[in-house]
Amino acid sequence: MTVTAIKTVGVIGAGRMGLPLIGHMVRNGFAVSAYDIDATRREAVTKLGGGWASGSSDLARNSDAILVCVGYDRELRGLMSSGGLLDDLPRGAIVAVLSTVHPRTVQELAEVAARRGVHLVDSTVARGGRAADAGTLLAFVGGAADVVERLKPVFASFASDIVHVGGVGAAQVAKAANNLVMWACVIANHEALALSKRFGVDVDCLREALLISSADNYALRHWGENTMEWAEDDMEIVRSMAQDVGIQLPQAGLNRELCPVLKPKR
């Protein structure tokens, strides 16, 4: 059977991560259209060469694949619920969920999609906003190998590394593991620099030294880029996953409690 290459891509969610991805895909030759509930983002999308859809149904009718970049579990479920996106997609269409949610959520949605003849994979991304701007994200992908293979040219337009970690839901597990370690490092960095500052040490100088020591870590190398905005949501997913499988993650639990303390007050 001949497999048609993906040429048209729809994006739902043109926010901090979705918008640069649109630009990269357009520059790599894909016909991209986007939809966001915030209509003020239309101008930014069109400046990048993307089209603007009137809604998710419009995208569904005119896309070979759709990337979903909404923020939360409830938003994803609302988008894909009865009368939503899945009902409008033609058989054989592909939906890639880039949102960070519970693995169970995408697995349940994939079962519903399969009954409609639609392929659903999860493809979480790591390395943050600057990597999204540069097109150097890390993409974890979970799904059937043949569907993942079809999507790779799309992912390659904005990700310098693509890792197929298993079946649907595996990308969410990978992202949860990534987030568990990352936020632990962010918190440890904060505490280490705060302690050093109280003892009169130049923390900028110390940070440079730590970067060539056994304490080196990604969060320290990109110090100041992590806003803690998503920390509580990320750690809540980790907590829920651990509860589901009956294991204790004491350090993750402590870090979950500390995340709100470090989050800047508005």
Side-chain angles (χ1 to χ4, degrees):
M1 182 176 69
T2 302
V3 177
T4 305
I6 294 172
K7 297 179 180 178
T8 59
V9 181
V11 178
I12 298 178
R16 177 63 186 93
M17 298 301 287
L19 196 60
L21 270 55
I22 291 167
H24 291 305
M25 288 187 286
V26 169
R27 286 188 290 274
N28 279 270
F30 293 99
V32 183
S33 292
Y35 169 71
D36 194 294
I37 57 173
D38 182 357
T40 64
R41 292 176 178 165
R42 176 174 184 168
E43 182 178 359
V45 169
T46 55
K47 280 184 177 179
L48 291 171
W52 185 261
S54 59
S56 60
S57 296
D58 188 13
L59 282 183
R61 290 191 295 268
N62 297 289
S63 304
D64 298 326
I66 290 183
L67 308 188
V68 179
C69 303
V70 299
Y72 299 98
D73 195 294
R74 63 181 180 275
E75 294 174 337
L76 177 63
R77 286 186 179 275
L79 176 70
M80 309 289 273
S81 64
S82 179
L85 180 65
L86 288 179
D87 290 343
D88 296 316
L89 287 164
R91 297 184 67 85
I94 300 174
V95 177
V97 176
L98 276 66
S99 311
T100 300
V101 297
H102 196 292
R104 181 178 60 248
T105 298
V106 290
Q107 290 167 345
E108 291 174 355
L109 292 173
E111 291 178 2
V112 176
R115 292 196 291 269
R116 290 168 166 77
V118 172
H119 307 289
L120 187 145
V121 305
D122 53 329
S123 178
T124 55
V125 292
R127 295 179 182 156
R130 290 195 179 183
D133 294 338
T136 57
L137 288 167
L138 162 63
F140 298 117
V141 192
D146 59 330
V147 180
V148 172
E149 198 62 30
R150 288 184 63 195
L151 282 166
K152 278 187 176 179
V154 178
F155 295 148
S157 67
F158 53 76
S160 56
D161 297 279
I162 304 168
V163 183
H164 184 193
V165 287
V168 174
Q172 300 299 333
V173 177
K175 183 64 181 292
N178 173 88
N179 291 343
L180 192 159
V181 174
M182 180 189 69
W183 293 123
C185 287
V186 169
I187 291 169
N189 294 338
H190 270 286
E191 293 188 349
L193 296 179
L195 178 65
S196 302
K197 186 175 182 179
R198 289 298 181 95
F199 276 85
V201 173
D202 183 332
V203 293
D204 292 326
C205 177
L206 175 61
R207 175 176 167 272
E208 293 301 320
L210 292 175
L211 292 175
I212 55 172
S213 79
S214 56
D216 179 33
N217 61 79
Y218 185 89
L220 193 61
R221 290 194 297 275
H222 295 268
W223 191 243
E225 296 179 23
N226 292 297
T227 65
M228 305 297 292
E229 181 180 357
W230 296 96
E232 292 173 74
D233 298 295
D234 290 342
M235 295 308 295
E236 172 56 26
I237 291 172
V238 169
R239 184 207 62 78
S240 179
M241 289 171 61
Q243 183 179 55
D244 286 352
V245 294
I247 64 172
Q248 298 294 318
L249 299 176
Q251 180 175 308
L254 176 59
N255 288 339
R256 178 171 170 265
E257 294 179 10
L258 291 173
C259 284
V261 177
L262 295 176
K263 187 174 181 179
K265 301 295 187 294
R266 295 184 178 180

